[in-house]
Structure formats: C-alpha cells, structure tokens
Amino acid sequence: MTDDVELLKRVWRVRHFMPDIWRAWHVEYDRPVPVPLSTGTCGRTSLLLQKILQADGYAARWCIGSALQECGFFDGEGWRSHAWVVCSDLILDITADQFGAPPVIVSPVGDSRYRESNVDPASEVWQVKRDLAASEAMVLWRRHSEAHSLP
C-alpha cells in the first residue's frame, strides 16, 4: 500500500469522525445546526486534521485564505475565506462541502480553486478559540482511535 493510499484513508476517517464534533461546536456557540454540518468549521477542522496527520508522522501544513484578499476557496462565483491542509504535495480539504463541493477534496497543490493568503480572517479572540477547539477535539480523536484500534 502506498503512503498516499494510507493518507487518504486517514483523511476519510477524520471526515467520518467529524459530524458529532461539528454539532457540538455549533451548539457551543449557540448557532443553528447548518446543512451541511461542516459550514463555518473549516479553520478548526483543518487544524485538527493537521494535528492528526502530524501525530501520525506526516508533514502536514495548515493553510488559510482570506476572501478579502481574493484567496481561500473559489466556489465558481467568488472567493470564500477558507482553511485546508497541505500534505505530500496534496491539498486535503474535508469541509469544502459547505460551498457545494464534495465532502472530501484531495487535489494536487496548485489547484486553482485554492489560494493561500498571509492574512487570517479570524479575530485574535477567535484564533485562540479555534486552537482550543482543535486541541480538545484531538483528545476526542485519540480516545476514538484507541477505542476502535485505529492506526
């Protein structure tokens, strides 16, 4: 089995793990539960994916794009502020479905739908909350992985 195949399995495992986490995040911030559930969670989710992949030995990098700089994710109509992970020369995105895209995108770096910026559109307060949410979710991921004997 190639490294890319194992990487893709891990990415899909994380995506399948996320719905309960997303619901909890929406409830925690007193927001209606959206459809799709991933709406508004890309920063936290991508940061969690990066932490998981790094814990598994992958060189994963968290990326963000601000629509104010015409960066992020291009949904065919315009740029949307967005976050994703780059690993092994691949873009890994498990929240682009909030923009009408598939639930998991794995695409070569250079995909024209993605453009990284040097500006984080989140406020400093939200950046701290995002980091804390991803760290708390990492604890849940570890418990889940141990309970299900996941590599």
Side-chain angles (χ1 to χ4, degrees):
M1 188 176 320
T2 68
D3 286 339
D4 283 351
V5 171
E6 192 56 40
L7 174 63
L8 298 180
K9 284 183 180 181
R10 282 175 165 73
V11 169
W12 275 100
R13 281 186 200 125
V14 176
R15 171 65 195 209
H16 289 300
F17 169 76
M18 291 309 300
D20 289 339
I21 302 296
W22 289 330
R23 279 186 199 89
W25 286 344
H26 291 301
V27 168
E28 180 180 350
Y29 292 105
D30 199 26
R31 295 181 179 156
V33 177
V35 176
L37 282 171
S38 66
T39 301
T41 69
C42 60
R44 293 167 281 178
T45 301
S46 296
L47 193 54
L48 173 62
L49 178 60
Q50 177 206 20
K51 288 175 180 286
I52 290 168
L53 293 174
Q54 285 180 335
D56 290 342
Y58 291 92
R61 185 172 62 87
W62 185 78
C63 302
I64 195 155
S66 171
L68 297 174
Q69 292 185 313
E70 294 189 353
C71 294
F73 182 81
F74 188 79
D75 67 0
E77 295 180 18
W79 288 99
R80 309 294 176 215
S81 293
H82 193 50
W84 61 95
V85 172
V86 169
C87 182
S88 298
D89 295 325
L90 295 172
I91 292 169
L92 308 173
D93 188 348
I94 62 174
T95 63
D97 58 330
Q98 67 185 303
F99 306 122
V104 173
I105 292 178
V106 177
S107 186
V109 169
D111 183 326
S112 62
R113 295 174 292 180
Y114 293 87
R115 189 181 299 160
E116 190 173 1
S117 67
N118 59 357
V119 173
D120 188 336
S123 70
E124 288 183 24
V125 169
W126 184 247
Q127 289 175 33
V128 170
K129 289 181 179 183
R130 177 180 62 208
D131 292 346
L132 180 60
S135 294
E136 290 171 345
M138 185 65 176
V139 171
L140 298 174
W141 171 259
R142 285 187 175 126
R143 288 182 193 155
H144 170 79
S145 296
E146 289 171 8
H148 294 24
S149 301
L150 296 176

